[in-house]
Amino acid sequence: MLHVLKKLVFLSLFLIIQLHANSQNACSNCSEYSLSENWSKLLDCLDSEIKKTDHHFDFLCRANLFSVIFENADSVLFQNNYIKIDEFQKLALNDLDIVIQKQPTLAVTYNIRAAVKKAIGTDFCEDLKIFCNLTQNCEEYEKKCGDESKK
């Protein structure tokens, strides 16, 4: 189930990035490393692009790729440190927080953040509530958050 959710999140991210292709896009600039699954070089490339652009879609790209790497590697060299599996999701949350600071009405960010929080066992209902309020798509919030959705 979590694997399917991650694929859906990745697909939604891909579609959003395609819609905003006119902006600087670290995912497309670094895609060669993703295709070859060279995770360390991919993260170095993304980090370099983010330092140049500081664009919210680049942070969103990296946050999503942390989840992909989480599924495919035990540890990866990033910023001169080996990052272990349990740290990938924390890094994803950090990047998602940056996206929300830069673009608080980008609804998909809250949905992705809710999925990451659920995976690490922290409360995710507030993120689904914000997603619901922004999109009027409340089915997931009502289903997963039960009585809390009535508040």
Short mmCIF file of all heavy atoms in Angstrom, two decimals, residues 56 59-60 63 89-104 109-110 112-114 116-117 127:
data_model
loop_
_atom_site.label_atom_id
_atom_site.label_comp_id
_atom_site.label_asym_id
_atom_site.label_seq_id
_atom_site.Cartn_x
_atom_site.Cartn_y
_atom_site.Cartn_z
N HIS A 56 10.95 26.61 -5.28
CA HIS A 56 10.16 25.66 -4.49
C HIS A 56 9.95 24.32 -5.20
O HIS A 56 9.89 23.28 -4.56
CB HIS A 56 8.83 26.27 -4.04
CG HIS A 56 7.90 26.65 -5.13
ND1 HIS A 56 8.02 27.85 -5.80
CD2 HIS A 56 6.85 26.01 -5.68
CE1 HIS A 56 7.06 27.93 -6.70
NE2 HIS A 56 6.35 26.83 -6.65
N PHE A 59 12.90 22.05 -4.47
CA PHE A 59 12.81 21.43 -3.15
C PHE A 59 11.78 20.30 -3.16
O PHE A 59 11.99 19.25 -2.55
CB PHE A 59 12.44 22.47 -2.09
CG PHE A 59 13.56 23.37 -1.68
CD1 PHE A 59 13.69 24.63 -2.24
CD2 PHE A 59 14.49 22.96 -0.74
CE1 PHE A 59 14.72 25.47 -1.86
CE2 PHE A 59 15.54 23.80 -0.36
CZ PHE A 59 15.65 25.06 -0.92
N LEU A 60 10.67 20.52 -3.85
CA LEU A 60 9.64 19.49 -3.95
C LEU A 60 10.17 18.26 -4.68
O LEU A 60 9.91 17.12 -4.27
CB LEU A 60 8.41 20.07 -4.67
CG LEU A 60 7.15 19.23 -4.67
CD1 LEU A 60 6.68 18.93 -3.25
CD2 LEU A 60 6.05 19.98 -5.42
N ALA A 63 12.50 16.43 -2.26
CA ALA A 63 11.73 15.76 -1.21
C ALA A 63 11.14 14.46 -1.72
O ALA A 63 11.18 13.43 -1.03
CB ALA A 63 10.62 16.69 -0.70
N GLN A 89 13.42 10.32 5.21
CA GLN A 89 12.09 10.90 5.40
C GLN A 89 12.15 12.21 6.18
O GLN A 89 11.39 13.13 5.90
CB GLN A 89 11.17 9.87 6.05
CG GLN A 89 10.88 8.74 5.08
CD GLN A 89 10.26 7.54 5.75
OE1 GLN A 89 10.62 7.18 6.85
NE2 GLN A 89 9.34 6.90 5.05
N LYS A 90 13.08 12.31 7.11
CA LYS A 90 13.25 13.58 7.84
C LYS A 90 13.74 14.67 6.89
O LYS A 90 13.28 15.81 6.97
CB LYS A 90 14.21 13.40 9.01
CG LYS A 90 13.66 12.52 10.11
CD LYS A 90 14.67 12.25 11.18
CE LYS A 90 14.13 11.23 12.17
NZ LYS A 90 15.14 10.74 13.09
N LEU A 91 14.65 14.31 6.00
CA LEU A 91 15.12 15.28 5.01
C LEU A 91 13.99 15.68 4.06
O LEU A 91 13.88 16.86 3.69
CB LEU A 91 16.29 14.69 4.21
CG LEU A 91 17.59 14.50 5.00
CD1 LEU A 91 18.58 13.66 4.20
CD2 LEU A 91 18.19 15.84 5.37
N ALA A 92 13.15 14.73 3.70
CA ALA A 92 12.00 15.04 2.84
C ALA A 92 11.07 16.03 3.55
O ALA A 92 10.61 17.00 2.95
CB ALA A 92 11.25 13.77 2.48
N LEU A 93 10.81 15.79 4.84
CA LEU A 93 9.95 16.71 5.60
C LEU A 93 10.56 18.11 5.66
O LEU A 93 9.84 19.11 5.53
CB LEU A 93 9.70 16.19 7.01
CG LEU A 93 8.74 15.01 7.13
CD1 LEU A 93 8.66 14.54 8.57
CD2 LEU A 93 7.36 15.37 6.60
N ASN A 94 11.87 18.20 5.82
CA ASN A 94 12.53 19.51 5.84
C ASN A 94 12.31 20.24 4.52
O ASN A 94 11.98 21.43 4.50
CB ASN A 94 14.03 19.37 6.10
CG ASN A 94 14.35 18.96 7.51
OD1 ASN A 94 13.54 19.09 8.42
ND2 ASN A 94 15.55 18.43 7.71
N ASP A 95 12.50 19.53 3.40
CA ASP A 95 12.29 20.16 2.09
C ASP A 95 10.83 20.54 1.89
O ASP A 95 10.53 21.61 1.33
CB ASP A 95 12.77 19.25 0.97
CG ASP A 95 14.28 19.31 0.76
OD1 ASP A 95 14.96 20.11 1.43
OD2 ASP A 95 14.78 18.54 -0.09
N LEU A 96 9.91 19.71 2.33
CA LEU A 96 8.49 20.03 2.18
C LEU A 96 8.12 21.25 3.02
O LEU A 96 7.31 22.08 2.59
CB LEU A 96 7.63 18.82 2.56
CG LEU A 96 7.75 17.63 1.59
CD1 LEU A 96 7.11 16.39 2.18
CD2 LEU A 96 7.15 17.97 0.23
N ASP A 97 8.72 21.38 4.19
CA ASP A 97 8.49 22.57 5.00
C ASP A 97 8.96 23.83 4.28
O ASP A 97 8.31 24.87 4.33
CB ASP A 97 9.19 22.45 6.36
CG ASP A 97 8.53 21.44 7.28
OD1 ASP A 97 7.36 21.07 7.04
OD2 ASP A 97 9.19 21.02 8.25
N ILE A 98 10.08 23.73 3.59
CA ILE A 98 10.59 24.87 2.81
C ILE A 98 9.62 25.22 1.69
O ILE A 98 9.33 26.39 1.45
CB ILE A 98 12.00 24.57 2.26
CG1 ILE A 98 13.00 24.51 3.42
CG2 ILE A 98 12.42 25.62 1.24
CD1 ILE A 98 14.37 23.95 3.04
N VAL A 99 9.10 24.20 1.01
CA VAL A 99 8.12 24.43 -0.07
C VAL A 99 6.91 25.16 0.49
O VAL A 99 6.43 26.13 -0.11
CB VAL A 99 7.71 23.11 -0.75
CG1 VAL A 99 6.59 23.35 -1.75
CG2 VAL A 99 8.90 22.46 -1.44
N ILE A 100 6.43 24.72 1.64
CA ILE A 100 5.24 25.34 2.24
C ILE A 100 5.53 26.78 2.64
O ILE A 100 4.68 27.66 2.46
CB ILE A 100 4.74 24.49 3.42
CG1 ILE A 100 4.12 23.20 2.86
CG2 ILE A 100 3.76 25.26 4.30
CD1 ILE A 100 3.82 22.14 3.89
N GLN A 101 6.72 27.06 3.13
CA GLN A 101 7.09 28.45 3.46
C GLN A 101 7.09 29.32 2.21
O GLN A 101 6.64 30.46 2.24
CB GLN A 101 8.47 28.50 4.11
CG GLN A 101 8.50 27.97 5.51
CD GLN A 101 9.94 27.85 6.05
OE1 GLN A 101 10.90 28.18 5.36
NE2 GLN A 101 10.07 27.36 7.27
N LYS A 102 7.60 28.76 1.11
CA LYS A 102 7.72 29.53 -0.12
C LYS A 102 6.39 29.62 -0.88
O LYS A 102 6.12 30.61 -1.54
CB LYS A 102 8.76 28.89 -1.05
CG LYS A 102 10.18 28.99 -0.54
CD LYS A 102 11.13 28.25 -1.48
CE LYS A 102 12.56 28.55 -1.17
NZ LYS A 102 12.94 29.92 -1.43
N GLN A 103 5.59 28.58 -0.82
CA GLN A 103 4.37 28.49 -1.62
C GLN A 103 3.28 27.80 -0.81
O GLN A 103 2.95 26.64 -1.06
CB GLN A 103 4.69 27.70 -2.90
CG GLN A 103 3.69 27.84 -4.00
CD GLN A 103 3.71 29.21 -4.64
OE1 GLN A 103 4.66 29.94 -4.55
NE2 GLN A 103 2.63 29.54 -5.29
N PRO A 104 2.70 28.49 0.18
CA PRO A 104 1.75 27.85 1.09
C PRO A 104 0.45 27.36 0.46
O PRO A 104 -0.28 26.59 1.09
CB PRO A 104 1.49 28.91 2.15
CG PRO A 104 1.91 30.19 1.54
CD PRO A 104 2.94 29.88 0.51
N THR A 109 1.75 19.64 -1.87
CA THR A 109 2.80 19.57 -0.85
C THR A 109 2.25 19.01 0.45
O THR A 109 2.90 18.19 1.11
CB THR A 109 3.41 20.96 -0.61
OG1 THR A 109 3.79 21.52 -1.86
CG2 THR A 109 4.61 20.89 0.30
N TYR A 110 1.06 19.42 0.82
CA TYR A 110 0.46 18.94 2.06
C TYR A 110 0.10 17.46 1.96
O TYR A 110 0.24 16.72 2.93
CB TYR A 110 -0.79 19.77 2.41
CG TYR A 110 -0.45 21.22 2.66
CD1 TYR A 110 -0.60 22.17 1.65
CD2 TYR A 110 0.03 21.63 3.89
CE1 TYR A 110 -0.28 23.50 1.88
CE2 TYR A 110 0.36 22.96 4.13
CZ TYR A 110 0.20 23.88 3.11
OH TYR A 110 0.53 25.19 3.34
N ILE A 112 1.65 15.22 0.07
CA ILE A 112 2.93 14.48 0.12
C ILE A 112 3.45 14.47 1.55
O ILE A 112 3.88 13.42 2.06
CB ILE A 112 3.97 15.10 -0.84
CG1 ILE A 112 3.50 14.97 -2.29
CG2 ILE A 112 5.33 14.45 -0.64
CD1 ILE A 112 4.33 15.78 -3.28
N ARG A 113 3.39 15.61 2.22
CA ARG A 113 3.89 15.68 3.60
C ARG A 113 3.07 14.76 4.51
O ARG A 113 3.63 14.09 5.39
CB ARG A 113 3.87 17.12 4.11
CG ARG A 113 4.61 17.27 5.45
CD ARG A 113 4.88 18.69 5.82
NE ARG A 113 3.67 19.35 6.27
CZ ARG A 113 3.64 20.55 6.83
NH1 ARG A 113 4.75 21.23 7.00
NH2 ARG A 113 2.50 21.09 7.20
N ALA A 114 1.77 14.67 4.28
CA ALA A 114 0.93 13.76 5.06
C ALA A 114 1.38 12.31 4.86
O ALA A 114 1.45 11.53 5.82
CB ALA A 114 -0.54 13.93 4.68
N VAL A 116 4.38 11.22 4.05
CA VAL A 116 5.67 11.02 4.72
C VAL A 116 5.46 10.91 6.23
O VAL A 116 6.00 10.02 6.89
CB VAL A 116 6.66 12.15 4.38
CG1 VAL A 116 7.95 12.02 5.21
CG2 VAL A 116 7.00 12.15 2.89
N LYS A 117 4.65 11.80 6.78
CA LYS A 117 4.39 11.76 8.22
C LYS A 117 3.72 10.46 8.62
O LYS A 117 4.06 9.87 9.66
CB LYS A 117 3.51 12.95 8.64
CG LYS A 117 4.25 14.26 8.70
CD LYS A 117 3.31 15.37 9.16
CE LYS A 117 4.03 16.68 9.35
NZ LYS A 117 3.11 17.73 9.82
N ASP A 127 -2.18 18.10 7.88
CA ASP A 127 -1.78 18.29 6.48
C ASP A 127 -2.92 17.91 5.53
O ASP A 127 -3.18 18.61 4.54
CB ASP A 127 -0.53 17.49 6.16
CG ASP A 127 0.69 18.06 6.85
OD1 ASP A 127 0.98 19.25 6.62
OD2 ASP A 127 1.35 17.33 7.60
#
